[in-house]
């Protein structure tokens, strides 16, 4: 056996337990979602019949389509809004020197330690006074606000890696600050923006407390609240629907990762080199 194959075999031997550990919950979800309802709680690994129609029944019975669109909408607002606001802010933090700059950096870091649940009562009163309870758009804006500190911190560290010589060369060609940001910085830090957008989207996609507080009608539910409603307060829980909904809810994030994985690797490497 060649040296390369020995290294490959050793690597897979070491990684196999980790792969099994990661995939095991997804295997349980998939098999439970495909079981007949009568066999869901049976201590058997493989069902007597694979029922693909469970997913179609779940989609109708749980109003899954509306919850999926609400989550995509709120997470899209949070991701796009946070990135648009954070790019000029991160550029200013990276390139300008001003009084209190260190304080602002520390504030951005400390604000990440605050859980949304600490602010949820005041946030609800504010949204109620503005008439924005039950608004998916408002939930998306709140997600954006909670993610801006994170996105500014991430992008500012990536902007620091762009050599100042490139910026000065653009100035010598007559470019202003805005044009330099658009023509020099953005093409160079596209992988970093993609990485930041991925994490922002995931944060918004998985958020539970704010959505539970501000959304009361089923038509407004996001996916975490919709899945939670299938379990909370139920005398009998249809676990095949719960597992089917949970499994399908992971697909958008998995697709996003698969689509942007090349940017993810490049972006992480970019932030490691200065």
């Amino acid at each position: 056996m060649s040296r390369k194959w020995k290294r490959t075999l050793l690597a897979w031997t070491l990684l196999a337990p980790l792969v099994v550990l990661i995939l095991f919950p997804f295997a349980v979800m998939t098999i439970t979602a495909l079981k007949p309802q009568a066999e869901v709680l049976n201590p058997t690994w493989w069902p007597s019949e694979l029922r693909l129609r469970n997913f179609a029944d779940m989609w109708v019975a749980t109003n899954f389509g509306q919850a999926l669109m609400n989550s995509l909408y709120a997470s899209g607002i949070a991701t796009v809004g946070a990135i648009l606001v954070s790019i000029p802010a991160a550029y200013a933090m990276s390139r300008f020197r001003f009084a209190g700059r260190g304080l602002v950096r520390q504030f951005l870091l400390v604000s990440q330690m605050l859980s949304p649940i600490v602010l949820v009562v005041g946030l609800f009163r504010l949204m109620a006074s503005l008439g924005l309870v039950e608004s998916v758009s408002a939930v998306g804006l709140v997600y954006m606000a909670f993610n801006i500190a994170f996105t500014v911190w991430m992008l500012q560290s990536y902007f620091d890696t762009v050599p100042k010589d490139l910026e000065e060369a653009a100035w010598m060609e007559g470019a202003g600050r805005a044009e330099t940001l658009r023509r020099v910085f953005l093409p160079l830090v596209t992988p970093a923006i993609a990485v930041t957008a991925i994490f922002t989207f995931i944060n918004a996609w998985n958020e539970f407390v704010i959505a539970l507080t501000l959304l009361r009608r089923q038509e407004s539910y996001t996916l975490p609240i919709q899945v939670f409603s299938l379990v909370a307060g139920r005398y009998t829980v249809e676990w095949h629907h719960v597992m089917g909904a949970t499994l399908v809810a992971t697909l958008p994030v998995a697709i996003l990762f698969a689509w942007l994985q090349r940017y993810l690797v490049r972006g992480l490497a970019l932030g490691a080199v200065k």
Side-chain angles (χ1 to χ4, degrees):
M1 185 180 292
S2 67
R3 202 171 198 180
K4 178 181 177 182
W5 281 104
K6 287 181 180 179
R7 286 200 305 267
T8 302
L9 182 61
L10 177 62
W12 276 108
T13 302
L14 296 174
L15 287 174
L18 180 61
V19 172
V20 171
L21 185 65
I22 292 173
L23 294 181
F24 182 75
F26 294 95
V28 172
M29 283 193 297
T30 303
I31 292 172
T32 305
L34 293 172
K35 279 185 176 183
Q37 185 175 4
E39 299 180 17
V40 168
L41 297 180
N42 289 351
T44 56
W45 180 251
W46 199 254
S48 60
E49 176 190 358
L50 293 177
R51 293 197 174 180
L52 291 173
R53 69 173 181 271
N54 283 351
F55 288 97
D57 295 340
M58 175 275 297
W59 192 280
V60 175
T62 65
N63 195 31
F64 189 87
Q66 183 62 51
L68 176 63
M69 294 306 298
N70 290 341
S71 279
L72 287 172
Y73 180 63
S75 300
I77 289 176
T79 303
V80 174
I83 293 296
L84 290 178
V85 171
S86 299
I87 286 175
Y91 175 75
M93 291 284 295
S94 175
R95 287 301 190 252
F96 294 135
R97 297 295 179 265
F98 54 89
R101 178 174 176 270
L103 260 168
V104 174
R105 288 171 56 88
Q106 293 302 318
F107 170 77
L108 293 177
L109 183 62
V110 171
S111 67
Q112 298 304 296
M113 301 177 187
L114 288 176
S115 172
I117 199 170
V118 177
L119 307 173
V120 74
V121 175
L123 186 62
F124 176 78
R125 295 184 64 181
L126 174 64
M127 290 297 170
S129 66
L130 297 174
L132 294 177
V133 176
E134 298 292 356
S135 171
V136 181
S137 299
V139 170
L141 292 174
V142 173
Y143 290 169
M144 181 188 76
F146 273 101
N147 278 283
I148 283 176
F150 166 76
T151 53
V152 171
W153 183 270
M154 287 281 290
L155 291 178
Q156 184 258 322
S157 65
Y158 287 121
F159 281 6
D160 286 344
T161 65
V162 178
K164 291 187 177 180
D165 294 345
L166 297 176
E167 190 176 16
E168 292 170 357
W171 293 344
M172 291 180 65
E173 294 293 329
R177 289 279 187 182
E179 190 174 1
T180 301
L181 175 62
R182 182 169 59 88
R183 292 181 177 272
V184 176
F185 275 80
L186 295 188
L188 291 174
V189 298
T190 297
I193 293 173
V195 171
T196 306
I198 288 173
F199 285 114
T200 304
F201 185 88
I202 292 173
N203 287 340
W205 185 264
N206 293 329
E207 203 287 322
F208 178 78
V209 174
I210 294 173
L212 182 65
T213 304
L214 298 181
L215 303 176
R216 303 297 180 85
R217 292 182 296 108
Q218 189 178 23
E219 293 78 11
S220 305
Y221 282 178
T222 56
L223 279 179
I225 309 304
Q226 185 64 58
V227 174
F228 172 72
S229 69
L230 300 179
V231 181
R234 298 290 185 98
Y235 181 72
T236 57
V237 178
E238 296 177 335
W239 287 108
H240 58 304
H241 285 172
V242 174
M243 292 300 172
T246 305
L247 181 64
V248 177
T250 63
L251 292 180
V253 174
I255 292 171
L256 184 67
F257 260 96
W259 181 39
L260 297 176
Q261 62 178 339
R262 63 185 185 277
Y263 293 113
L264 182 64
V265 175
R266 288 170 57 194
L268 293 176
L270 177 65
V273 180
K274 288 194 177 182

